[in-house]
Amino acid sequence: MSYSLSYSARLARNQALHTMTTRHRGLIRLAMTAGLLLSAGLLLAAGLPSKDKLHVTALEYGSEWPLTLTEGDLACYDDGAITLKSMEGTEYALNDKALNGGYRAPLAIWKYDEDMAGGVNMPLTPLIQSGRQLCRTTPS
């Protein structure tokens, strides 16, 4: 009779260990899934991480803002091409590398300098300087 009690006790202990291990695995899986979902949510909330992009507005630049658009996303690509993407999705070239890379010239959105006679466009320099700061390597 003691043999059967011993066997029953071992069986109960093994079942308890199995249940605990299964619960433990489930908790680990739940924690990992929650961590992945949290990370994905943070990435989406941040607009997907990219140190190569920056949202800029006319308000930030004041009278130096050279465009008719009021805001856009500055980007610098690996080849040094600096662009500004409008909220409508059109990406405009701000430097020669971007123009040579096939991006649209900013002529349609480029403001004239009202202080200068003869219809001179405002310098894109403030945006290009901000764009250069996004570049991994300094474009020439």
Side-chain angles (χ1 to χ4, degrees):
M1 186 117 116
S2 66
Y3 176 75
S4 65
L5 286 177
S6 175
Y7 176 75
S8 296
R10 281 187 283 156
L11 183 62
R13 184 187 64 183
N14 287 342
Q15 286 177 340
L17 285 174
H18 177 71
T19 302
M20 204 164 54
T21 304
T22 304
R23 284 184 188 162
H24 184 67
R25 282 189 216 140
L27 289 175
I28 290 173
R29 285 184 187 141
L30 179 63
M32 288 176 65
T33 303
L36 289 172
L37 289 175
L38 179 62
S39 297
L42 290 173
L43 288 175
L44 290 175
L48 297 179
S50 175
K51 66 178 183 178
D52 301 331
K53 294 189 181 187
L54 174 69
H55 186 78
V56 291
T57 66
L59 188 60
E60 293 172 53
Y61 287 82
S63 62
E64 291 186 346
W65 182 256
L67 306 172
T68 57
L69 302 174
T70 58
E71 63 184 320
D73 291 323
L74 268 179
C76 182
Y77 295 93
D78 289 338
D79 63 352
I82 299 171
T83 64
L84 183 107
K85 188 174 190 176
S86 71
M87 296 294 93
E88 292 79 28
T90 305
E91 200 159 9
Y92 296 97
L94 296 182
N95 66 357
D96 288 339
K97 287 190 177 187
L99 278 173
N100 294 336
Y103 293 98
R104 182 182 290 194
L107 298 175
I109 60 165
W110 204 349
K111 283 199 295 191
Y112 286 108
D113 190 344
E114 296 172 7
D115 295 333
M116 300 288 286
V120 176
N121 290 95
M122 292 185 68
L124 296 172
T125 309
L127 291 176
I128 293 171
Q129 287 174 342
S130 295
R132 277 193 179 138
Q133 293 175 0
L134 299 173
C135 295
R136 292 185 186 137
T137 58
T138 306
S140 53

